């Protein structure tokens, strides 16, 4: 994994970058990621850590990380240092700078982009080097995150999209005997309020590097501000960190609300869960089930497992008129209407995330 492509001594960095065998790099990294998945499934956490270390210190992993940040839409967006890697020579030289020892990330550059509702979304733009380091460690973290993820989580995951979320919503709601009530939930400021302590205790990645990213702060109007909670929107690894924080809710719901017999009668709570990033829906057989049992369980999950303040998430509540529309019956069970209605729901999830 650490053997660089053979080149003549006279070749410069620009030529060396062009001569990298990218298919071989991807093959070697994929092989390591497959081994990480297998070790995760077997519960061999020490093996997972060793393989992650091997991947993040390999030439192939570092080269792919640099390639990702220099070939995406943000390749011309600089961080606080104003640097971009626009030439093959600068990209090849950058590979050797991705080292754990002596690494200290720079503050993020705060920018604002408009949201669909007219408000502004704050983004934290890391430097090119910090983006590359995040991309590198994401290569090692993603196999674990995908192995342990909730089955019906669809936002910011490889080979998943809003269309998949729409399909799952349709499957959960299109039948005549499907659940009659839906609880829609949204976490306010999801990226901004994840506990640093929780992430450092539970995210299966290099703790020291993660701590440096989380406490790097951000620059706005030439003023440095500290970051005491949350993971910045704009970082390559941030969506995966948020997904890891929310994973486990679907399993908790499935374990709690199973089919059972009550006084000899079969009882199916019809609890289904679909999440896209920080927006989710939970179906139920009755309004009372969602209001009195499901919603309190979700609140406890946020408090106990995610260590967030309860004010950071909102859900449907019939006693709160501002949120009453979040707890409702789907309007129709007809195939086309159900697909269209929940297509809009999932599209709204994606737009608001």
């Amino acid at each position: 994994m650490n053997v660089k492509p053979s080149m003549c001594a006279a070749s410069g960095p620009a030529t060396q970058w062009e001569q990298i065998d990218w298919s071989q790099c991807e093959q070697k990294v994929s092989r390591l990621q497959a081994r990480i998945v297998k070790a995760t499934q077997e519960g061999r956490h020490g093996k997972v850590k060793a393989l992650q270390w091997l991947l993040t210190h390999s030439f192939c992993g570092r080269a792919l990380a640099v390639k990702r940040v220099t070939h995406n839409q943000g390749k011309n967006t600089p961080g606080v240092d104003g640097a971009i890697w626009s030439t093959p020579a600068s990209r090849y030289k950058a590979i050797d700078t991705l080292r754990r020892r002596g690494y200290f990330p720079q503050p993020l550059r705060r920018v604002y982009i408009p949201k669909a509702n007219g408000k502004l979304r704050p983004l934290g733009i890391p430097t090119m080097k910090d983006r590359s380091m995040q991309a590198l460690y994401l290569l090692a973290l993603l196999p674990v995150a995908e192995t342990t993820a909730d089955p019906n989580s669809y936002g910011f995951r490889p080979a998943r999209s809003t269309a998949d979320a729409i399909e799952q919503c349709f499957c959960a709601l299109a039948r005549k005997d499907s659940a009659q009530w839906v609880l829609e939930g949204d976490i306010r400021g999801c990226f901004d309020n994840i506990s640093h302590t929780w992430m450092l205790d539970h995210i299966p990645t290099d703790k020291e590097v993660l701590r440096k990213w989380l406490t790097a702060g951000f620059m706005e109007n030439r003023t440095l501000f500290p970051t005491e909670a949350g993971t910045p929107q704009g970082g390559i690894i941030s969506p995966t960190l948020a997904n890891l924080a929310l994973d486990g809710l679907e399993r908790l719901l499935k374990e709690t609300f199973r089919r059972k017999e009550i006084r000899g009668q079969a009882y199916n709570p019809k609890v289904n869960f679909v999440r896209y990033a920080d927006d989710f829906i939970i179906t139920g057989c009755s309004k009372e089930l969602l209001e009195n049992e499901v919603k309190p369980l979700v609140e406890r999950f946020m408090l106990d497992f995610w260590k967030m303040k309860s004010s950071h998430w909102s859900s449907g509540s019939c006693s709160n008129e501002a949120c009453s529309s979040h707890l409702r019956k789907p309007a129709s069970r007809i195939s086309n209407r159900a697909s269209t209605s929940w297509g809009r729901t999932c599209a709204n999830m994606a737009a608001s995330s």
Side-chain angles (χ1 to χ4, degrees):
M1 287 292 294
N2 291 302
V3 178
K4 299 184 182 182
S6 59
M7 307 158 193
C8 62
S11 64
T15 305
Q16 290 174 320
W17 174 264
E18 300 295 342
Q19 290 179 350
I20 294 176
D21 189 339
W22 294 111
S23 62
Q24 186 181 56
C25 286
E26 290 172 357
Q27 184 181 35
K28 290 183 176 181
V29 168
S30 295
R31 190 178 301 137
L32 269 181
Q33 289 178 321
R35 292 175 65 188
I36 293 173
V37 169
K38 183 179 179 182
T40 302
Q41 292 171 336
E42 295 172 350
R44 302 172 62 189
H45 303 298
K47 184 69 172 178
V48 170
K49 189 174 180 180
L51 291 169
Q52 287 180 322
W53 188 95
L54 186 60
L55 197 160
T56 55
H57 288 72
S58 68
F59 173 82
C60 292
R62 289 181 286 128
L64 287 175
V66 172
K67 183 182 180 184
R68 172 171 179 173
V69 302
T70 56
H71 287 75
N72 59 14
Q73 291 183 344
K75 62 183 179 181
N76 295 320
T77 305
V80 293
D81 60 356
I84 57 173
W85 299 334
S86 57
T87 64
S90 62
R91 293 168 187 172
Y92 190 83
K93 290 178 181 178
I95 295 175
D96 199 49
T97 67
L98 304 185
R99 305 285 183 180
R100 181 183 185 276
R101 177 175 294 181
Y103 170 66
F104 290 98
Q106 296 189 57
L108 307 168
R109 181 169 67 90
R110 174 56 59 90
V111 298
Y112 294 89
I113 61 172
K115 297 171 66 174
N117 58 9
K119 296 182 180 180
L120 294 176
R121 184 193 305 278
L123 294 182
I125 308 300
T127 63
M128 293 294 286
K129 179 178 178 179
D130 294 335
R131 267 178 271 175
S132 297
M133 286 291 285
Q134 289 188 19
L136 175 60
Y137 280 83
L138 181 59
L139 288 173
L141 177 61
L142 200 57
V144 182
E146 286 298 300
T147 304
T148 60
D150 283 341
N152 291 305
S153 164
Y154 296 95
F156 305 114
R157 292 184 61 189
R160 295 199 174 202
S161 66
T162 52
D164 299 309
I166 292 170
E167 180 183 6
Q168 183 58 31
C169 290
F170 178 80
C171 292
L173 294 162
R175 295 167 58 92
K176 290 183 178 180
D177 59 349
S178 295
Q180 295 294 306
W181 287 87
V182 173
L183 175 69
E184 296 180 35
D186 172 62
I187 302 168
R188 301 190 189 113
C190 172
F191 286 88
D192 299 327
N193 296 301
I194 308 174
S195 165
H196 285 180
T197 302
W198 189 96
M199 285 191 282
L200 290 170
D201 289 341
H202 294 87
I203 301 297
T205 190
D206 190 304
K207 308 298 182 185
E208 184 62 22
V209 175
L210 178 60
R211 182 188 63 78
K212 290 177 180 178
W213 285 333
L214 296 177
T215 58
F218 65 91
M219 293 286 294
E220 186 174 8
N221 297 325
R222 298 185 178 182
T223 303
L224 176 63
F225 296 91
T227 47
E228 299 177 353
T231 177
Q233 296 187 63
I236 288 177
I237 204 170
S238 295
T240 301
L241 296 180
N243 273 335
L244 283 166
L246 285 167
D247 283 335
L249 180 54
E250 181 176 3
R251 287 189 290 272
L252 180 62
L253 289 167
K254 291 295 184 183
E255 291 171 0
T256 305
F257 301 102
R258 297 178 176 178
R259 296 186 182 187
K260 55 186 177 181
E261 283 193 7
I262 300 179
R263 301 186 186 91
Q265 296 291 325
Y267 172 72
N268 182 7
K270 300 179 181 179
V271 172
N272 298 285
F273 177 85
V274 182
R275 178 169 66 84
Y276 191 97
D278 58 348
D279 298 278
F280 59 87
I281 65 165
I282 303 174
T283 67
C285 63
S286 68
K287 172 182 172 182
E288 292 73 24
L289 174 72
L290 292 176
E291 220 175 14
N292 301 328
E293 298 183 48
V294 172
K295 184 184 172 189
L297 182 69
V298 174
E299 289 176 336
R300 289 196 299 272
F301 175 86
M302 297 297 174
L303 290 170
D304 297 339
F305 293 91
W306 207 18
K307 303 303 180 186
M308 285 184 58
K309 296 179 181 178
S310 58
S311 60
H312 290 314
W313 86 286
S314 63
S315 65
S317 173
C318 286
S319 62
N320 185 348
E321 191 170 341
C323 297
S324 59
S325 61
H326 288 261
L327 183 60
R328 59 190 175 90
K329 275 190 175 184
S332 173
R333 286 290 176 270
I334 301 175
S335 299
N336 291 335
R337 288 189 180 181
S339 178
T340 303
S341 172
W342 291 103
R344 291 197 196 100
T345 299
C346 294
N348 291 336
M349 286 182 180
S352 63
S353 300

